[in-house]
Amino acid sequence: MAVIDFIEQQSLKTFPGGPRALAQALGELLSRVQATPVFPTFVNYPDIVARLFAHVRRTGLFAAGLLDAHVERLELLREAYEAGSTGLVSSHNDPVPSNILFDGERLWLIDWESAYRNDPLVDVAIVLDHLARSPELEDVLLRAWFGRAPDEALCARLELIRALTRLYYAGVMLSASAAASWVTGATDLSAPTPQEFQQSIREGRLKPGAPETRHILGKMFLASFFSGIAPPGFDAAV
């Protein structure tokens, strides 16, 4: 249990120095979290991704066989993950924008219910996809977190972890749409581009938090699992 003062939240868009300074601060924040005494062990990250995705397949949300290619790629990634496994560190495991608050002076991480020891790149991958969405900002965040420019081995490991985190959030979104009984037996995995999705949100054709929006966002994360193109951040859609 943690008890803190009430935080008068300000938009991350108001962070002094703009997106570059925010990326720097986020990298430093993740570094501090990972330097704390190591959290307890809970589960191997690819295992929890696989469990959640297996649940999505059982819901009947999609037609039988439609997600087989995702399962095959996930198994390859699980093997690569274990082969390149490094030391585990204290991790938040869900540092999406809604869990990162700015009080006008500093950043706060909240909602620690998913915290446990994990691969150090899991938190980094999640923050990069949601809050450092350009090569320049990615470089700033990685240098602030790593202490220097990342090498090729770290970048390759990061791409593997990003695929896993994207499939995890696909599972989160699609589990929510399945629970709302929005659709069953779907045979179409096509998804809009991030730009098209954001335009639909701005024009009101998609409503933040609606089952349809979560379903489409889940399919975008599925597409990103293969393409490597970052899906839209949760802040505009959840």
Side-chain angles (χ1 to χ4, degrees):
M1 178 180 294
V3 179
I4 62 174
D5 289 338
F6 180 78
I7 299 170
E8 294 283 355
Q9 183 179 2
Q10 298 185 27
S11 172
L12 292 174
K13 294 178 181 179
T14 68
F15 194 85
R20 187 180 179 88
L22 177 61
Q24 174 80 24
L26 288 166
E28 293 170 352
L29 176 63
L30 295 181
S31 180
R32 291 197 302 274
V33 170
Q34 294 180 1
T36 60
V38 68
F39 294 166
T41 298
F42 175 56
V43 67
N44 196 31
Y45 190 70
D47 292 346
I48 202 167
V49 175
R51 291 177 197 173
L52 183 57
F53 197 61
H55 166 70
V56 170
R57 297 179 73 215
R58 289 193 299 268
T59 64
L61 193 64
F62 295 102
L66 193 64
L67 301 177
D68 285 356
H70 298 78
V71 175
E72 292 174 6
R73 181 158 197 252
L74 174 58
E75 289 308 309
L76 293 175
L77 291 175
R78 293 176 76 175
E79 293 176 7
Y81 176 94
E82 295 301 336
S85 182
T86 58
L88 304 183
V89 298
S90 297
S91 298
H92 182 280
N93 300 317
D94 193 26
V96 294
S98 59
N99 289 335
I100 302 173
L101 307 185
F102 175 52
D103 65 4
E105 296 182 5
R106 56 160 289 186
L107 299 174
W108 296 81
L109 265 176
I110 63 168
D111 195 0
W112 290 84
E113 66 180 359
S114 298
Y116 58 90
R117 69 177 65 179
N118 204 351
D119 188 288
L121 283 167
V122 169
D123 280 353
V124 173
I126 295 168
V127 172
L128 286 174
D129 270 357
H130 292 283
L131 291 165
R133 297 171 55 81
S134 74
E136 177 190 5
L137 296 179
E138 179 174 318
D139 182 67
V140 170
L141 190 147
L142 286 173
R143 286 175 180 268
W145 165 73
F146 195 47
R148 62 183 186 276
D151 56 25
E152 290 185 6
L154 187 142
C155 290
R157 179 76 174 174
L158 175 60
E159 288 309 303
L160 185 158
I161 299 296
R162 286 178 108 161
L164 291 173
T165 60
R166 289 165 180 169
L167 190 62
Y168 175 81
Y169 283 111
V172 171
M173 293 293 102
L174 295 172
S175 293
S177 66
S181 301
W182 185 77
V183 67
T184 57
T187 59
D188 182 14
L189 287 179
S190 62
T193 66
Q195 295 77 19
E196 292 169 341
F197 180 80
Q198 296 286 2
Q199 185 69 20
S200 295
I201 293 288
R202 287 193 296 269
E203 294 177 355
R205 288 181 281 118
L206 290 176
K207 304 295 184 183
E212 179 185 6
T213 303
R214 292 179 181 272
H215 186 74
I216 292 173
L217 188 58
K219 292 201 298 181
M220 294 178 74
F221 273 96
L222 286 180
S224 180
F225 176 65
F226 277 107
S227 71
I229 299 173
F234 282 172
D235 53 335
V238 178

